[in-house]
Amino acid sequence: MFSCIKLCLITGLIIGGLVISLGGGPNHQRLGFTFWKHPGPINTYLVSGGTGRFLAFLSAIVQAAFSFQGMELVAIAASETKNPRRNIAKAVRRVFYRIVIFYLLGVLVTGMLVAYNDPNLLSSSGTASESPYVIAFKNAG
């Protein structure tokens, strides 16, 4: 039940983000990839220039890798089913497609909605007002 709620929520956020990005919000401002031009898609980390952007990307990849821990559980769960030879391959393919669709598309849409240097992202209110989607919906009116 909770997995269905989570899938519906991320699908709704991606669709809502695309609508806002394409100018469907109340202010009808089309964002597109505006924030990828100014201030840019990636902030620098430790040093400036291209090396700093590469280090920022590498740091994000290392942190995101922790989200994918436990992938071996797919194989363990699938091996307990009938016909594990077919089910393991099917389960691993489905996980790959889910990662590509939900994770990467979610990151792309989030990057289109809010600039990385938006002051509301860095506020420490401890509430949902720090969420990039809440900030984007608030900015769109």
Side-chain angles (χ1 to χ4, degrees):
M1 183 68 176
F2 287 117
S3 295
C4 291
I5 292 171
K6 183 170 65 169
L7 289 175
C8 290
L9 177 67
I10 190 65
T11 303
L13 288 174
I14 289 171
I15 291 171
L18 287 173
V19 167
I20 288 175
S21 181
L22 296 172
N27 64 2
H28 300 292
Q29 178 186 2
R30 184 181 169 114
L31 297 175
F33 288 93
T34 304
F35 298 122
W36 285 36
K37 294 176 184 161
H38 180 71
I42 300 175
N43 195 5
T44 58
Y45 180 67
L46 296 179
V47 294
S48 61
T51 305
R53 284 190 292 277
F54 174 74
L55 290 175
F57 178 76
L58 191 63
S59 173
I61 292 295
V62 168
Q63 291 177 5
F66 288 106
S67 300
F68 301 115
Q69 286 182 346
M71 289 291 294
E72 69 278 358
L73 294 177
V74 172
I76 292 171
S79 67
E80 296 174 355
T81 64
K82 293 180 182 178
N83 195 358
R85 182 181 304 249
R86 182 180 60 89
N87 289 333
I88 290 174
K90 194 160 75 170
V92 170
R93 271 195 306 272
R94 285 181 179 171
V95 168
F96 174 75
Y97 291 130
R98 287 177 184 154
I99 289 171
V100 168
I101 291 170
F102 294 116
Y103 190 79
L104 294 180
L105 192 59
V107 169
L108 177 71
V109 169
T110 304
M112 289 169 49
L113 292 174
V114 180
Y116 68 78
N117 60 356
D118 191 311
N120 295 324
L121 282 175
L122 303 175
S123 67
S124 58
S125 64
T127 63
S129 64
E130 300 170 18
S131 167
Y133 289 98
V134 172
I135 294 168
F137 293 148
K138 192 183 307 180
N139 291 344

